[in-house]
Amino acid sequence: DVKVTQSSRYLVKRTGEKVFLECVQDMDHENMFWYRQDPGLGLRLIYFSYDVKMKEKGDIPEGYSVSREKKERFSLILESASTNQTSMYLCASSLGTSGTRADTQYFGPGTRLTVL
Amino acid sequence: AQSVTQLDSQVPVFEEAPVELRCNYSSSVSVYLFWYVQYPNQGLQLLLKYLSGSTLVKGINGFEAEFNKSQTSFHLRKPSVHISDTAEYFCAVSRGGDMRFGAGTRLTVKP
């Protein structure tokens, strides 16, 4: 079974703090994704990565950055957390074959971040 | 651009009743379509996906969905639901390397 793990289930931070959310997958997947999930808005893509050291902006990258130094690990960074970044953050990975757009995405359990 | 509309934000239903969760998409090119389920306090997991071929797709836990190109719909159905089907369901569309999700439908199955 594919396993995607996220470093924390719940996190509480203060405004202005730098926040790191870590994601690790164990199936040698090429692609990794970060989403935020908000009620009534579904999942919105923040950033994704097709390969080590490569990153692409999603729909809502403002206020976020990412790092992918190793294939299995994809980190989301909030440089200066703000209250409007309080949300559920979901990491996902997919195989990344030539049929990438048909790939199933496998999700971690999510990190519920509260910024006070 | 592609987008996904889930027509119902909440669907309450009694146990053993049939259910349909509606999804419409907009795209000017061919797409791949997915339904994911999120149980409480968990991440999303794949229920089923349509890539090509038969328009009726069967998934896990007795769910199925029908792709209708003319109506740009991909509705999810189950003939008889269980309490354990209570969850949030997301329709998603993939065209390029990324995926677009609908806002979700919360299915609540009552005893």
Side-chain angles (χ1 to χ4, degrees), chain A residues 36 38 64 82-89 113-116:
Chain A
R36 63 176 283 175
D38 299 288
Y64 303 95
S82 63
T83 55
N84 62 13
Q85 291 178 310
T86 291
S87 186
M88 171 71 87
Y89 290 87
L113 173 67
T114 302
V115 182
L116 302 175

Side-chain angles (χ1 to χ4, degrees), chain A:
Chain A
D1 279 354
V2 176
K3 192 164 185 184
V4 180
T5 56
Q6 295 184 230
S7 50
S8 305
R9 293 299 303 271
Y10 300 93
L11 209 53
V12 180
K13 296 291 181 181
R14 296 206 174 274
T15 301
E17 280 193 79
K18 190 168 186 176
V19 181
F20 293 87
L21 302 182
E22 305 285 342
C23 175
V24 177
Q25 51 92 5
D26 67 356
M27 284 301 292
D28 202 34
H29 282 178
E30 300 288 336
N31 305 332
M32 296 189 75
F33 307 83
W34 275 107
Y35 297 90
R36 63 176 283 175
Q37 180 182 9
D38 299 288
L41 296 177
L43 278 70
R44 291 179 292 166
L45 183 64
I46 305 171
Y47 269 97
F48 58 102
S49 169
Y50 287 143
D51 200 354
V52 175
K53 297 192 185 294
M54 294 185 69
K55 60 185 178 184
E56 297 283 343
K57 291 180 180 179
D59 297 323
I60 51 164
E62 296 78 18
Y64 303 95
S65 62
V66 290
S67 172
R68 194 168 181 200
E69 297 295 320
K70 294 185 178 181
K71 191 176 185 179
E72 67 270 20
R73 188 179 297 269
F74 192 36
S75 302
L76 180 69
I77 303 155
L78 287 66
E79 294 289 341
S80 177
S82 63
T83 55
N84 62 13
Q85 291 178 310
T86 291
S87 186
M88 171 71 87
Y89 290 87
L90 293 169
C91 175
S93 71
S94 69
L95 186 59
T97 61
S98 58
T100 292
R101 62 187 179 138
D103 284 350
T104 298
Q105 292 192 13
Y106 296 86
F107 286 82
T111 295
R112 187 166 294 281
L113 173 67
T114 302
V115 182
L116 302 175

